[in-house]
Amino acid sequence: QLKKVFRGYDFRLVNNLDWTSKLTVIEFLRDIGKHFSMTPLVQRDYIAKRLGEDGAGVSYAEFSYTILQGMDFLHLYDTYGCTLQLGGSDQWGNCLSGVELIRRARGAEAHVITLPLIINKATGKKFGKSEEGAVWLDPDKTSPYKFYQFWLNSDDEGVEGYLKVYTELDKPALEQTMQKFNDDRAGRTAQKTLAYEVTKLIHGEEKAEAVRRATDALFSEEQMFDALSPAEKQLLKSELPVVKGIQGRRFAATLVDAGLARSNSEAMHFIDAGAIKVNNVRILNEAGGALRAGDNLIQRGKNSFAIVVH
């Protein structure tokens, strides 16, 4: 995943298991532990709160984490001449452990830059794997289609910040995007740009283009579904309910099969209310739901879709 994000740059990936797995307890205490004083460690906010009168306490394993992270920085300094560590703002104390260790053990200077955590302004929650509805870079955990939808559904309040942080748009391009967005928020230019740019960065331009076209086919007023390539239609089939159309079967029953209605009577209610589209054409009676040969895109309301293969 990181190789995709940083493709085109000269960088090296290392795994701290390679040096920690070979370390003995005696070596750890003798070479690393002796450089740490307990007093400043227990005074750090996240430790002090856990050790306080109403705190739940902290295990020795968890307490040792900051020392291990400091040791990682020392190893990178010794091996690669690394003098700068980047981290989230919640890692400030752990990053400083490495700065202090390098100073004490090597008499050298090292530095830290921490970055603010990304907060969803609408919910107040941080972006992270522990949060509900987390989005993953791994396509096996979050498909490129769902990944694109995640960013497409960004709230108006936070979208400009996400564009600045998660895309490589330069300042003029970003300002132009936000100008179009502010002139017509209903057009969601900022969200569409964000979704495309982040998907391109993580999954590549070809996949991003396919997902964008597939998404446009669902939500555009034009009949774009027919213009999709077989691969793009297959992408939608992997995400939407797909049912087999049966010759002579009532269209209302097909809607039930596709999960767009719970019963034939509810399906007829949706049809009568004009809530159903077949291949982007609104139908007002069951006779209008005739399915053609091949793939048919069925839509109920704004956001419910299925594909019927007839």
Side-chain angles (χ1 to χ4, degrees):
Q1 293 161 8
L2 288 172
K3 285 178 179 178
K4 286 182 180 179
V5 174
F6 293 109
R7 55 186 173 270
Y9 295 91
D10 182 20
F11 71 100
R12 180 190 299 267
L13 289 172
V14 295
N15 185 346
N16 58 6
L17 184 64
D18 292 339
W19 57 87
T20 55
S21 63
K22 303 167 187 175
L23 191 67
T24 67
V25 173
I26 297 299
E27 290 172 323
F28 176 69
L29 295 176
R30 182 192 64 208
D31 300 333
I32 305 298
K34 72 177 183 181
H35 294 292
F36 287 88
S37 170
M38 288 292 293
T39 304
L41 290 180
V42 298
Q43 289 176 344
R44 288 184 180 173
D45 285 348
Y46 73 99
I47 295 293
K49 289 176 182 177
R50 298 278 293 276
L51 295 177
E53 191 172 318
D54 298 323
V58 59
S59 70
Y60 178 73
E62 190 174 358
F63 182 77
S64 300
Y65 183 87
T66 189
I67 302 175
L68 290 170
Q69 187 165 324
M71 184 182 71
D72 288 344
F73 199 175
L74 177 64
H75 176 87
L76 297 176
Y77 172 82
D78 288 342
T79 309
Y80 303 106
C82 178
T83 59
L84 175 64
Q85 182 175 179
L86 304 181
S89 56
D90 59 338
Q91 292 295 308
W92 173 247
N94 293 333
C95 292
L96 286 183
S97 291
V99 172
E100 283 294 301
L101 180 58
I102 291 171
R103 183 179 64 82
R104 292 174 182 271
R106 301 291 183 265
E109 190 174 89
H111 307 277
V112 167
I113 294 177
T114 56
L115 311 170
L117 298 180
I118 307 301
I119 304 296
N120 184 324
K121 293 182 179 179
T123 64
K125 293 183 178 180
K126 69 176 183 178
F127 275 44
K129 64 181 183 296
S130 60
E131 297 296 332
E132 184 180 352
V135 63
W136 298 86
L137 304 185
D138 187 340
D140 292 333
K141 289 181 174 290
T142 302
S143 71
Y145 175 84
K146 287 187 173 69
F147 186 83
Y148 184 95
Q149 302 306 315
F150 174 87
W151 300 104
L152 189 63
N153 291 324
S154 297
D155 59 277
D156 288 354
E157 186 180 2
V159 68
E160 182 175 7
Y162 303 153
L163 280 166
K164 291 177 179 178
V165 172
Y166 289 115
T167 76
E168 294 185 315
L169 293 178
D170 59 22
K171 192 168 185 286
L174 193 143
E175 289 175 347
Q176 184 179 26
T177 298
M178 289 309 301
Q179 183 64 54
K180 289 181 180 178
F181 172 68
N182 289 322
D183 288 344
D184 176 24
R185 293 208 165 193
R188 299 180 64 78
T189 300
Q191 283 88 347
K192 290 176 181 178
T193 302
L194 173 69
Y196 178 78
E197 291 293 332
V198 183
T199 304
K200 181 175 71 172
L201 188 66
I202 301 303
H203 297 294
E205 187 172 1
E206 183 178 349
K207 186 66 72 174
E209 190 62 41
V211 172
R212 176 164 66 177
R213 282 176 51 79
T215 300
D216 287 347
L218 296 183
F219 297 102
S220 173
E221 292 299 321
E222 303 173 9
Q223 294 192 32
M224 297 182 62
F225 180 70
D226 292 341
L228 295 179
S229 69
E232 290 164 348
K233 286 186 178 180
Q234 188 57 45
L235 186 152
L236 284 180
K237 286 181 178 179
S238 67
E239 302 291 343
L240 303 177
V242 179
V243 296
K244 180 74 175 175
I246 301 174
Q247 191 69 34
R249 186 169 177 77
R250 289 184 60 191
F251 181 65
T254 302
L255 291 179
V256 176
D257 293 342
L260 297 179
R262 289 171 293 185
S263 65
N264 285 352
S265 60
E266 185 179 57
M268 289 303 303
H269 172 74
F270 288 144
I271 292 170
D272 293 340
I276 302 296
K277 289 183 179 180
V278 177
N279 298 316
N280 217 40
V281 177
R282 193 177 306 278
I283 64 169
L284 299 175
N285 55 65
E286 197 171 22
L291 302 173
R292 67 192 181 197
D295 297 329
N296 296 263
L297 179 66
I298 314 298
Q299 179 179 358
R300 190 201 78 209
K302 289 185 177 181
N303 298 310
S304 297
F305 301 91
I307 293 176
V308 178
V309 182
H310 192 56

